[in-house]
Amino acid sequence: MQLSKEMILAKANEVSKNTLMETLDIEMVDYGKDFLVARMPVTPKVHQPDGVLHGGATAALAESVGSFASHMFTDLEQYFVRGIEITANHLKSVKEGYVYARATFLHKGRTTQLLDIRVTDEQDNLISVCRLSTVSLPLKK
């Protein structure tokens, strides 16, 4: 039985309970053959002291969606995925609303993956450009 897009997104959000993703209200909202999109509300909970989105919260959003994308497109009966490195270049500040992170693969190897993650606001303005490297390691049986 193949699961619907809605069921897959619901399952992804369910496994995020009691994690950093729940703490930051990160929600997976869309996916396709080669991408995954998550969103996060910009509220005082994720602000830095001067009232704009904290870069660390943006990086957490990017790593969450990128790692989840690697998980979704990996055979988890054979492998587990871990993040290796994340970079984030912050281009614009945001005070409120939602930010959206779209993860796409630049490289999808058997062992390593490289994802491009574009973070935008509700008007599709580019907020941050992130890169995440992940590794797929065999499960010990």
Side-chain angles (χ1 to χ4, degrees):
M1 175 178 85
Q2 191 167 0
L3 297 176
S4 70
K5 178 190 272 192
E6 293 76 21
M7 291 175 73
I8 290 170
L9 291 170
K11 185 174 181 174
N13 289 315
E14 180 62 31
V15 300
S16 297
K17 300 287 186 206
N18 299 313
T19 68
L20 178 65
M21 290 171 281
E22 182 178 51
T23 299
L24 298 179
D25 297 318
I26 295 171
E27 176 185 18
M28 303 302 152
V29 295
D30 194 16
Y31 87 97
K33 185 176 90 170
D34 63 351
F35 72 91
L36 179 64
V37 178
R39 74 178 182 174
M40 179 177 71
V42 180
T43 64
K45 178 165 50 172
V46 295
H47 282 169
Q48 55 188 25
D50 66 349
V52 299
L53 177 61
H54 193 290
T58 305
L61 170 64
E63 183 153 359
S64 296
V65 72
S67 292
F68 235 108
S70 285
H71 278 89
M72 289 179 72
F73 300 107
T74 298
D75 179 357
L76 296 177
E77 292 184 19
Q78 300 282 328
Y79 301 94
F80 68 98
V81 176
R82 292 291 181 260
I84 300 173
E85 179 181 29
I86 188 160
T87 63
N89 292 283
H90 307 299
L91 307 171
K92 187 173 177 152
S93 61
V94 178
K95 292 184 177 189
E96 60 188 5
Y98 280 90
V99 287
Y100 294 83
R102 180 184 179 99
T104 58
F105 286 91
L106 296 173
H107 172 72
K108 195 174 179 184
R110 285 178 287 167
T111 305
T112 61
Q113 301 79 41
L114 178 62
L115 295 108
D116 178 61
I117 302 147
R118 304 284 170 142
V119 179
T120 58
D121 65 12
E122 293 175 295
Q123 290 74 44
D124 207 30
N125 295 307
L126 188 60
I127 304 303
S128 297
V129 176
C130 306
R131 294 281 163 85
L132 174 67
S133 299
T134 60
V135 62
S136 297
L137 300 169
L139 290 171
K140 295 184 181 187
K141 296 187 178 201

